Amino acid sequence: MDWGLLFQSYGAVFSNLQVIFMTFLGALGGVLLGAIPGMTATMGVALLIPFSYGMDLIPSIGLLLGIYCGGMYGGSISAILIHAPGTPSAAATLIDGYPMAQSGQAGKALSVAMFSSFCGGVIGALIMTFLSPLVAKVAMKFTSAEMLMLAFFGLSVIVSISGKSIAKGLISAFFGLLLCTVGLDPTYSVKRYIFGMKPLLSGFSFIPTLIGLFAIAEVIAGVERIINGEESQQKSNEKITNVLPDLKTIGKIWPNILSGGIIGTFIGAIPGAGGDIAVFVSYGFNKSFSKHPELWGTGIPNGVAATESANNGCSGGAMIPLLSLGVPGDAVTAVLLGAFIMKGIQPGPMMYVDELPTVYRVFASLMLANLAMLVVGCLGVRGFAKIVSVEKKMLYPIILVVSLLGAFSINKSIFDVGVCVLFGVVGWLMNKYEFPLSPILLALILGPMCEQNFVRFVDLNSGNFWEILHHPIAIGFFVVSVGTIIFSIFNQQKINRLEAQNKAAAGQ
Amino acid sequence: MKKTKTKAFSNLIISIILLIFEVWAYFQASGFRKVKGAYVQASTFPQIMDIGMMIFTVILLIQSCIKVFGGMKPDDPMAEDAPSLNPLTNRGLAAALLVIGLCILYVALFDKLGYVLVSAIVSIIIMWVIGKRNPLTVVLVSVLVPLVMWVIFYKMLTVNIPMGVLQPLRDLLDKI
């Protein structure tokens, strides 16, 4: 590791006013967006990508990482105050956070969540700084065989993000992979599924597709829910007094923060396994090793600390495969991958050779994003509670017009706005019939990588695919992929069981 | 419990629709131009993905058939009611379809009317439909948000957004 360059990069990021401003702006937007139930960090990052279009790489990455870290913490605000997690990864925070708020400790719960999120994020950023170069060094030996199996490894985690129906998740994934083939074939420039539409020659643009699947679909579904009376307007009148936890509380919760941060980072580093899994694993782990497991779930700060540190630890973890392998760790990093590509930088092992200063600046940006989240959290902890009162009747039309503008601005193409609307309808229908959307996202990212390396490998080996058996790293990836699939099925069952237990406990 | 209204039955219908789409996509792919001497044709990857999709669609079809034609307990998640597809009885669905229609109209009028005007119109209609009836708030939010967004994109990010009939606004901004 080039320590001189590392410190120089940290200095460059922490002394650049534009980066600082953008990161703080992102953190503020992320916290606000994360606090609104249903608005995820993924959607926030997708919405802000067009804004970052005209900026340099590091300010734009700072903005996106700010929203990522801010969104992770923001989700806990509504989970604690109104029992409605703002983001899926805040789902476990309400187990102890809401009872704390109910017993008049809302301020303490929010401050513990914020402090733990910050510490978890810093742990994740530090582990990322030291671990990802090692991963990249191994990745330098990769040929098309390894890259193909790496793509397969990335796709194997689709099982873990498929939700309750693995069949539906895999249908979504294969549909996404099929969508990737629209346009000119990358090897021989053969037209595929064009139907005479010239803009389709380069395939569906990623960002308009993403905005459509997540933001537009949510707007359509939100309007439907409002009319059907299924969407209640949340209000919160809690008075919050504490901004940061006192030393006595920190003394009690630090083991939970440390273990949560480490668990979150490592789970986040598994492509596809995000914060929603990490928080439950961390909660279960900390509860198992607690001297008083019976108190967990009754409203103790340890429960909030264990989940929130894991939640934000994931942000650093998810960056490890993104930077070192070019494989996104979760949905947000999948969008971040799109931002890197948009700026002409291809994350992966070669990034550590060609763009080492950029890599170190990304590390520094993540650290700054966590700091920004803490500052924004401290300044706004009282006001954030009011976010849950934002009127959705105004919010949805705003999201719609901002999203469609975002879709247009990428290529300045009205065709992309049409693509965005089309995928909005597809996403709405898929949500309605319980087909998960995340597998499509992962497939859209990994599909081209999968096809290009498959064609290259088979062509180089004169049509003999089984030559892949002579590539030990590729075999290793295959074995890990199979292991991941088995682990994911097991883990999904565990999450379902935990959720069922929580439901039963809540019903008592 | 009426089986045709369950989630299991809707999954069965979706599986059949998906299978028709997959067969169509497979035959479309077989019509792609062939490249002489290539080990992997342009149609190979799409067809493999299509077959993968077919396999899991068949699995979903079988699962649904077992639920629909076999025994299904009333507390089975698949025995729950599927989302209604009749906009005459489901007002929420009608509103969602209206939003989709407005989005299509948005795309069609984006160039002619320009971003600010078309966004304001669509936004006002949606707010009105979903029950936001304070005219001042509705108009202010619907006009100001696209206007501010346009200024940000045009001035700060130098992205040229169509202004349509409001083109003079751009000329005015250029002069400032």
Side-chain angles (χ1 to χ4, degrees), chain A residues 31 69-70 72-74 76-77 80 93 106-122 240 242-245 253 257 301 304-305 308-309 312 370-382 384:
Chain A
V31 173
C69 295
M72 287 291 209
Y73 159 65
S76 68
I77 296 174
I80 290 167
T93 306
K108 189 175 180 181
L110 279 173
S111 62
V112 167
M114 181 175 58
F115 183 74
S116 310
S117 292
F118 168 71
C119 295
V122 170
I240 295 152
N242 303 325
V243 172
L244 272 177
I253 60 173
I257 292 176
V304 177
E308 279 303 303
S309 56
N312 272 53
N370 280 294
L371 196 67
M373 182 214 71
L374 183 72
V375 175
V376 168
C378 284
L379 291 175
V381 73
R382 291 183 181 91
F384 289 152

Side-chain angles (χ1 to χ4, degrees), chain A residues 14-299:
Chain A
F14 278 82
S15 62
N16 186 326
L17 282 177
Q18 194 195 3
V19 178
I20 294 170
F21 177 72
M22 285 302 160
T23 310
F24 273 78
L25 196 69
L28 178 67
V31 173
L32 295 176
L33 209 67
I36 302 167
M39 305 285 149
T40 59
T42 313
M43 192 195 282
V45 173
L47 275 173
L48 277 193
I49 278 193
F51 283 87
S52 67
Y53 192 65
M55 296 177 204
D56 290 338
L57 178 75
I58 298 303
S60 66
I61 293 298
L63 178 77
L64 300 175
L65 287 177
I67 208 166
Y68 185 15
C69 295
M72 287 291 209
Y73 159 65
S76 68
I77 296 174
S78 51
I80 290 167
L81 293 173
I82 57 163
H83 205 249
T87 55
S89 46
T93 306
L94 59 81
I95 302 173
D96 275 288
Y98 188 65
M100 278 182 81
Q102 290 295 91
S103 60
Q105 298 183 76
K108 189 175 180 181
L110 279 173
S111 62
V112 167
M114 181 175 58
F115 183 74
S116 310
S117 292
F118 168 71
C119 295
V122 170
I123 291 168
L126 285 174
I127 294 177
M128 178 188 88
T129 304
F130 296 108
L131 204 66
S132 59
L134 297 175
V135 179
K137 207 173 270 183
V138 177
M140 289 293 289
K141 293 171 185 166
F142 284 14
T143 64
S144 55
E146 285 78 19
M147 292 307 284
L148 173 64
M149 281 301 145
L150 176 61
F152 178 67
F153 170 55
L155 290 169
S156 69
V157 297
I158 280 168
V159 176
S160 72
I161 53 174
S162 290
K164 284 167 191 165
S165 170
I166 291 169
K168 283 186 175 177
L170 288 165
I171 290 171
S172 292
F174 279 109
F175 178 58
L177 289 166
L178 197 61
L179 285 177
C180 292
T181 65
V182 174
L184 288 179
D185 154 54
T187 317
Y188 307 110
S189 297
V190 175
K191 288 176 187 169
R192 301 188 295 193
Y193 303 117
I194 302 282
F195 309 112
M197 285 183 266
K198 277 188 182 171
L200 272 186
L201 283 173
S202 50
F204 292 114
S205 297
F206 177 67
I207 301 295
T209 308
L210 176 86
I211 293 175
L213 282 172
F214 286 89
I216 304 295
E218 178 58 28
V219 169
I220 301 171
V223 168
E224 190 179 6
R225 284 196 301 267
I226 287 175
I227 297 291
N228 285 339
E230 292 160 1
E231 184 130 303
S232 55
Q233 188 60 51
Q234 313 288 1
K235 292 242 184 254
S236 172
N237 297 316
E238 282 285 345
K239 196 177 178 186
I240 295 152
T241 49
N242 303 325
V243 172
L244 272 177
D246 52 61
L247 284 174
K248 196 180 160 194
T249 310
I250 293 173
K252 274 184 191 170
I253 60 173
W254 74 264
N256 309 110
I257 292 176
L258 192 65
S259 60
I262 293 170
I263 289 170
T265 307
F266 281 97
I267 290 183
I270 301 168
D276 43 358
I277 298 168
V279 289
F280 281 107
V281 174
S282 174
Y283 191 86
F285 175 85
N286 278 284
K287 187 179 172 181
S288 307
F289 285 92
S290 167
K291 283 178 187 169
H292 301 285
E294 72 284 358
L295 293 177
W296 288 63
T298 59

Side-chain angles (χ1 to χ4, degrees), chain B residues 89-103:
Chain B
T89 54
N90 184 343
R91 286 179 60 236
L93 181 70
L97 293 176
L98 177 72
V99 173
I100 293 168
L102 285 171
C103 288

Side-chain angles (χ1 to χ4, degrees), chain A residues 51 168 192-193 391 405 434, chain B residues 7 11 25 42 132 157 161:
Chain A
F51 283 87
K168 283 186 175 177
R192 301 188 295 193
Y193 303 117
E391 203 173 0
L405 178 62
E434 296 172 349
Chain B
K7 280 185 179 174
N11 281 346
K132 185 76 192 160
L157 308 174
I161 313 252

